[in-house]
Amino acid sequence: MTQHASPPRDDTGKVPSAGQPAVWRGLFAHADVRTLSLLGVLAALILVGGITKPDEFLDTRNLQLVLTQASVIGVVTVGMTFVIMSGGIDLSVGAIVALASVWATTVATQEYGFGGILLTAVLVGLGCGLVNGLLIAYGGMVPFIATLAMLASARGLALQITDGKTQIVTVDSVLDLGLRDAYVLGVPPLVMVFAVVTVIGWLVLNRTTFGRRTVAVGGNAEAARLAGIDVRRQRLYLYLLSGLCCGIAAFLLIILSGSGQNTNGNLYELDAIAAAIIGGTLLSGGRGTITGSVLGVLIFTTITNIFALNNLQSDVQQIAKGAIIVAAVLVQRRTASTT
C-alpha cells in the first residue's frame, strides 16, 4: 500500500493554508492571542497615562522609574511562573526578599564589599528555596503550608536581624548602580538585569528539557513519573530557582533603596502570583509563559504609576488589581472549558 506523506504542520499542530506566504504562516503560527491581548491592555494603560498626565507620565525619568520598579518584582515573577506551572505555589517570596536584603546589608557583610553583598543575597535566597523544596518534594508537605511557614519564619528572622531598624548601605560600588551615571543608553542597570533574567527564563522554559519536565509535572505529575521524570527532584530544583530569583531581586532592591529593611518585599507574593495569572499561567499547573508573566508585571506597575501620578488612593488601586485578577481567572476557566 502506498503511503502518502502527511502535510506539513506548524507549531500549533495545524496545517497552514496553501495561500499564506511563508512569512505570514510563521507569524500566525507563533501568534498568541493572550499575549496580543496583554499588549493591547498595556498600550491602553499607556494611552490613559498619556492623556491624564501627559507631562509627568511620558517623561523619560518616569518611564525609567516604571521599568526599574517592575524589574525587582519581575525577577521574582519569573521564578514564581516556573513554580506555578509545576502545580505548586510559593507564598514566601516576599519574606525571602526581605531576609536576603537585610542579611546582605549587615555591617559584617558589607565589609566584604560588592561581592559579599551579592553573594550573601543569592545564598540566602537559595537556602530558603532549598528548605521549601525539601519540605515539599521530600517531606510531603503541601506547598501552601510549607511556604506559608517559610513566610512567617523569614519575616521573623529578618526582624530579629534588623531589630526593626533600617540598615544603610555604605558600599559605593553598590550605590553607584542606582545613579543615572550608571545608565547604559538611558537604560538602568536593574532593567538590564531583569531583561537578562527574562531571556534566560524564556530559554530554559521553551528550549530545555528542564522546561519540558516542568510543564509535564504540572500537567500530570503521575504521568510524568511513569515517563521517567524524577518529580521530587524536579520540584526541588523549581523551589531552588524561585529562591535564586528572590536573592537576585533582593540585591536589586538594595541597589534601588540603598538599604535593607525587614519590611522589604511586602506583598510581593501576591503581585507575583497575580502577574503570572493574568499572563496566562494556570494555577492548576501545566501551562504558562514567561512573556505573559512579564507583561503582567508591566501592567500592574503601570497601573500603580498612573494611580500615584493622579493622586488616587491606594485602596482604589488594590480594588482595581483585585478586579483584574478575578477577570483573568474567569477567562482562564472559560478558556479551559472550551478546549
Side-chain angles (χ1 to χ4, degrees):
M1 181 180 294
T2 304
Q3 294 183 346
H4 298 282
S6 60
R9 299 174 181 269
D10 59 25
D11 291 345
T12 62
K14 299 178 180 179
V15 179
S17 172
Q20 292 179 334
V23 174
W24 288 109
R25 288 201 301 268
L27 289 175
F28 286 126
H30 294 284
D32 184 350
V33 175
R34 181 180 292 274
T35 300
L36 295 176
S37 300
L38 291 173
L39 285 172
V41 171
L42 183 59
L45 288 173
I46 293 174
L47 181 62
V48 170
I51 293 174
T52 57
K53 291 288 183 178
D55 295 334
E56 295 91 338
F57 181 79
L58 297 178
D59 183 72
T60 302
R61 290 177 179 269
N62 183 64
L63 296 178
Q64 290 172 334
L65 175 63
V66 171
L67 291 176
T68 300
Q69 292 176 337
S71 298
V72 180
I73 186 61
V75 172
V76 174
T77 302
V78 170
M80 181 69 78
T81 300
F82 277 90
V83 170
I84 296 178
M85 284 187 65
S86 70
I89 198 73
D90 192 347
L91 301 179
S92 63
V93 290
I96 294 175
V97 169
L99 178 59
S101 70
V102 300
W103 207 323
T105 55
T106 60
V107 175
T109 303
Q110 292 192 53
E111 291 180 354
Y112 293 95
F114 183 98
I117 294 176
L118 174 59
L119 182 62
T120 301
V122 170
L123 288 179
V124 171
L126 284 172
C128 293
L130 177 63
V131 173
N132 281 337
L134 290 174
L135 289 175
I136 294 166
Y138 294 95
M141 292 187 67
V142 177
F144 182 91
I145 300 300
T147 58
L148 185 62
M150 176 58 72
L151 183 156
S153 301
R155 283 288 179 194
L157 184 55
L159 179 60
Q160 186 178 49
I161 291 175
T162 62
D163 195 25
K165 301 176 182 178
T166 300
Q167 298 179 164
I168 304 299
V169 176
T170 59
V171 180
D172 291 336
S173 56
V174 173
L175 297 174
D176 289 345
L177 291 177
L179 301 177
R180 295 188 63 83
D181 292 341
Y183 290 11
V184 179
L185 299 177
V187 180
L190 275 67
V191 177
M192 291 187 285
V193 173
F194 177 34
V196 170
V197 171
T198 298
V199 171
I200 293 176
W202 187 92
L203 290 174
V204 170
L205 180 60
N206 296 281
R207 294 291 185 268
T208 67
T209 56
F210 182 88
R212 290 191 288 272
R213 288 171 181 168
T214 300
V215 175
V217 170
N220 190 322
E222 181 60 20
R225 186 187 66 81
L226 294 175
I229 297 176
D230 190 331
V231 175
R232 293 190 299 178
R233 185 171 61 185
Q234 184 69 17
R235 284 176 173 160
L236 173 62
Y237 289 162
L238 287 166
Y239 282 96
L240 278 171
L241 176 60
S242 180
L244 173 62
C245 288
C246 289
I248 296 173
F251 183 70
L252 297 183
L253 193 56
I254 291 170
I255 295 173
L256 185 61
S257 64
S259 63
Q261 304 176 54
N262 66 285
T263 56
N264 281 342
N266 187 35
L267 297 181
Y268 272 19
E269 55 277 358
L270 298 183
D271 287 343
I273 293 171
I277 291 173
I278 71 170
T281 303
L282 290 180
L283 278 173
S284 57
R287 193 181 74 188
T289 66
I290 297 297
T291 303
S293 295
V294 169
L295 288 174
V297 170
L298 293 176
I299 287 173
F300 275 131
T301 308
T302 304
I303 290 174
T304 301
N305 184 257
I306 292 174
F307 273 61
L309 291 177
N310 286 276
N311 296 319
L312 297 176
Q313 298 295 327
S314 59
D315 54 352
V316 179
Q317 174 186 324
Q318 296 302 324
I319 292 173
K321 286 185 177 181
I324 293 174
I325 295 171
V326 171
V329 173
L330 290 176
V331 169
Q332 282 189 0
R333 290 173 61 88
R334 183 177 179 83
T335 303
S337 63
T338 56
T339 55

PDB file of all heavy atoms in Angstrom, residues 95-111:
ATOM      1  N   ALA A  95       8.935  37.474  51.761  1.00  0.00           N
ATOM      2  CA  ALA A  95       9.688  37.341  53.008  1.00  0.00           C
ATOM      3  C   ALA A  95      11.140  36.951  52.732  1.00  0.00           C
ATOM      4  O   ALA A  95      12.061  37.395  53.427  1.00  0.00           O
ATOM      5  CB  ALA A  95       9.026  36.303  53.907  1.00  0.00           C
ATOM      6  N   ILE A  96      11.348  36.115  51.715  1.00  0.00           N
ATOM      7  CA  ILE A  96      12.724  35.729  51.354  1.00  0.00           C
ATOM      8  C   ILE A  96      13.488  36.941  50.850  1.00  0.00           C
ATOM      9  O   ILE A  96      14.670  37.123  51.172  1.00  0.00           O
ATOM     10  CB  ILE A  96      12.707  34.604  50.297  1.00  0.00           C
ATOM     11  CG1 ILE A  96      12.108  33.325  50.881  1.00  0.00           C
ATOM     12  CG2 ILE A  96      14.118  34.330  49.780  1.00  0.00           C
ATOM     13  CD1 ILE A  96      11.940  32.202  49.864  1.00  0.00           C
ATOM     14  N   VAL A  97      12.840  37.780  50.049  1.00  0.00           N
ATOM     15  CA  VAL A  97      13.477  39.012  49.570  1.00  0.00           C
ATOM     16  C   VAL A  97      13.875  39.891  50.758  1.00  0.00           C
ATOM     17  O   VAL A  97      14.981  40.446  50.803  1.00  0.00           O
ATOM     18  CB  VAL A  97      12.536  39.785  48.626  1.00  0.00           C
ATOM     19  CG1 VAL A  97      13.079  41.189  48.347  1.00  0.00           C
ATOM     20  CG2 VAL A  97      12.361  39.033  47.310  1.00  0.00           C
ATOM     21  N   ALA A  98      12.983  40.008  51.743  1.00  0.00           N
ATOM     22  CA  ALA A  98      13.278  40.818  52.926  1.00  0.00           C
ATOM     23  C   ALA A  98      14.464  40.243  53.699  1.00  0.00           C
ATOM     24  O   ALA A  98      15.391  40.971  54.077  1.00  0.00           O
ATOM     25  CB  ALA A  98      12.038  40.883  53.818  1.00  0.00           C
ATOM     26  N   LEU A  99      14.446  38.928  53.935  1.00  0.00           N
ATOM     27  CA  LEU A  99      15.519  38.288  54.692  1.00  0.00           C
ATOM     28  C   LEU A  99      16.854  38.413  53.960  1.00  0.00           C
ATOM     29  O   LEU A  99      17.881  38.730  54.568  1.00  0.00           O
ATOM     30  CB  LEU A  99      15.185  36.817  54.926  1.00  0.00           C
ATOM     31  CG  LEU A  99      16.239  35.993  55.679  1.00  0.00           C
ATOM     32  CD1 LEU A  99      16.507  36.595  57.058  1.00  0.00           C
ATOM     33  CD2 LEU A  99      15.792  34.537  55.810  1.00  0.00           C
ATOM     34  N   ALA A 100      16.841  38.184  52.656  1.00  0.00           N
ATOM     35  CA  ALA A 100      18.076  38.279  51.872  1.00  0.00           C
ATOM     36  C   ALA A 100      18.618  39.702  51.875  1.00  0.00           C
ATOM     37  O   ALA A 100      19.837  39.918  51.952  1.00  0.00           O
ATOM     38  CB  ALA A 100      17.825  37.806  50.437  1.00  0.00           C
ATOM     39  N   SER A 101      17.718  40.683  51.809  1.00  0.00           N
ATOM     40  CA  SER A 101      18.166  42.080  51.758  1.00  0.00           C
ATOM     41  C   SER A 101      18.790  42.520  53.079  1.00  0.00           C
ATOM     42  O   SER A 101      19.792  43.247  53.090  1.00  0.00           O
ATOM     43  CB  SER A 101      17.002  43.000  51.379  1.00  0.00           C
ATOM     44  OG  SER A 101      16.051  43.101  52.424  1.00  0.00           O
ATOM     45  N   VAL A 102      18.227  42.094  54.207  1.00  0.00           N
ATOM     46  CA  VAL A 102      18.784  42.525  55.494  1.00  0.00           C
ATOM     47  C   VAL A 102      20.040  41.735  55.857  1.00  0.00           C
ATOM     48  O   VAL A 102      20.975  42.266  56.465  1.00  0.00           O
ATOM     49  CB  VAL A 102      17.735  42.414  56.626  1.00  0.00           C
ATOM     50  CG1 VAL A 102      16.536  43.292  56.319  1.00  0.00           C
ATOM     51  CG2 VAL A 102      17.309  40.976  56.860  1.00  0.00           C
ATOM     52  N   TRP A 103      20.074  40.461  55.487  1.00  0.00           N
ATOM     53  CA  TRP A 103      21.261  39.662  55.770  1.00  0.00           C
ATOM     54  C   TRP A 103      22.450  40.164  54.949  1.00  0.00           C
ATOM     55  O   TRP A 103      23.600  40.147  55.398  1.00  0.00           O
ATOM     56  CB  TRP A 103      20.991  38.189  55.430  1.00  0.00           C
ATOM     57  CG  TRP A 103      21.820  37.224  56.230  1.00  0.00           C
ATOM     58  CD1 TRP A 103      23.119  37.402  56.613  1.00  0.00           C
ATOM     59  CD2 TRP A 103      21.420  35.954  56.740  1.00  0.00           C
ATOM     60  NE1 TRP A 103      23.559  36.304  57.324  1.00  0.00           N
ATOM     61  CE2 TRP A 103      22.533  35.394  57.415  1.00  0.00           C
ATOM     62  CE3 TRP A 103      20.249  35.217  56.675  1.00  0.00           C
ATOM     63  CZ2 TRP A 103      22.494  34.149  58.018  1.00  0.00           C
ATOM     64  CZ3 TRP A 103      20.207  33.970  57.281  1.00  0.00           C
ATOM     65  CH2 TRP A 103      21.309  33.445  57.941  1.00  0.00           C
ATOM     66  N   ALA A 104      22.155  40.633  53.735  1.00  0.00           N
ATOM     67  CA  ALA A 104      23.228  41.093  52.847  1.00  0.00           C
ATOM     68  C   ALA A 104      23.696  42.505  53.179  1.00  0.00           C
ATOM     69  O   ALA A 104      24.712  42.962  52.631  1.00  0.00           O
ATOM     70  CB  ALA A 104      22.750  41.043  51.400  1.00  0.00           C
ATOM     71  N   THR A 105      22.974  43.213  54.048  1.00  0.00           N
ATOM     72  CA  THR A 105      23.347  44.593  54.365  1.00  0.00           C
ATOM     73  C   THR A 105      23.770  44.780  55.815  1.00  0.00           C
ATOM     74  O   THR A 105      23.833  45.912  56.301  1.00  0.00           O
ATOM     75  CB  THR A 105      22.171  45.553  54.057  1.00  0.00           C
ATOM     76  OG1 THR A 105      20.987  45.116  54.756  1.00  0.00           O
ATOM     77  CG2 THR A 105      21.884  45.607  52.572  1.00  0.00           C
ATOM     78  N   THR A 106      24.059  43.695  56.509  1.00  0.00           N
ATOM     79  CA  THR A 106      24.597  43.840  57.867  1.00  0.00           C
ATOM     80  C   THR A 106      26.006  44.443  57.776  1.00  0.00           C
ATOM     81  O   THR A 106      26.655  44.390  56.719  1.00  0.00           O
ATOM     82  CB  THR A 106      24.675  42.485  58.583  1.00  0.00           C
ATOM     83  OG1 THR A 106      25.533  41.600  57.836  1.00  0.00           O
ATOM     84  CG2 THR A 106      23.300  41.851  58.713  1.00  0.00           C
ATOM     85  N   VAL A 107      26.455  45.004  58.862  1.00  0.00           N
ATOM     86  CA  VAL A 107      27.779  45.628  58.880  1.00  0.00           C
ATOM     87  C   VAL A 107      28.858  44.606  58.535  1.00  0.00           C
ATOM     88  O   VAL A 107      29.795  44.887  57.775  1.00  0.00           O
ATOM     89  CB  VAL A 107      28.057  46.250  60.259  1.00  0.00           C
ATOM     90  CG1 VAL A 107      29.490  46.782  60.325  1.00  0.00           C
ATOM     91  CG2 VAL A 107      27.060  47.358  60.562  1.00  0.00           C
ATOM     92  N   ALA A 108      28.728  43.398  59.072  1.00  0.00           N
ATOM     93  CA  ALA A 108      29.722  42.349  58.816  1.00  0.00           C
ATOM     94  C   ALA A 108      29.773  41.976  57.338  1.00  0.00           C
ATOM     95  O   ALA A 108      30.850  41.781  56.768  1.00  0.00           O
ATOM     96  CB  ALA A 108      29.394  41.121  59.658  1.00  0.00           C
ATOM     97  N   THR A 109      28.604  41.892  56.707  1.00  0.00           N
ATOM     98  CA  THR A 109      28.558  41.520  55.286  1.00  0.00           C
ATOM     99  C   THR A 109      29.124  42.628  54.422  1.00  0.00           C
ATOM    100  O   THR A 109      29.855  42.367  53.448  1.00  0.00           O
ATOM    101  CB  THR A 109      27.111  41.218  54.856  1.00  0.00           C
ATOM    102  OG1 THR A 109      26.574  40.190  55.688  1.00  0.00           O
ATOM    103  CG2 THR A 109      27.073  40.754  53.412  1.00  0.00           C
ATOM    104  N   GLN A 110      28.799  43.874  54.739  1.00  0.00           N
ATOM    105  CA  GLN A 110      29.252  44.992  53.912  1.00  0.00           C
ATOM    106  C   GLN A 110      30.771  45.160  53.931  1.00  0.00           C
ATOM    107  O   GLN A 110      31.337  45.794  53.030  1.00  0.00           O
ATOM    108  CB  GLN A 110      28.568  46.289  54.354  1.00  0.00           C
ATOM    109  CG  GLN A 110      27.077  46.322  54.067  1.00  0.00           C
ATOM    110  CD  GLN A 110      26.483  47.712  54.240  1.00  0.00           C
ATOM    111  OE1 GLN A 110      26.963  48.677  53.659  1.00  0.00           O
ATOM    112  NE2 GLN A 110      25.420  47.816  55.033  1.00  0.00           N
ATOM    113  N   GLU A 111      31.425  44.593  54.925  1.00  0.00           N
ATOM    114  CA  GLU A 111      32.885  44.658  54.971  1.00  0.00           C
ATOM    115  C   GLU A 111      33.520  43.922  53.791  1.00  0.00           C
ATOM    116  O   GLU A 111      34.655  44.200  53.416  1.00  0.00           O
ATOM    117  CB  GLU A 111      33.399  44.074  56.279  1.00  0.00           C
ATOM    118  CG  GLU A 111      33.068  44.930  57.499  1.00  0.00           C
ATOM    119  CD  GLU A 111      33.587  44.328  58.789  1.00  0.00           C
ATOM    120  OE1 GLU A 111      34.112  43.176  58.719  1.00  0.00           O
ATOM    121  OE2 GLU A 111      33.476  44.968  59.844  1.00  0.00           O
TER     122      GLU A 111
END
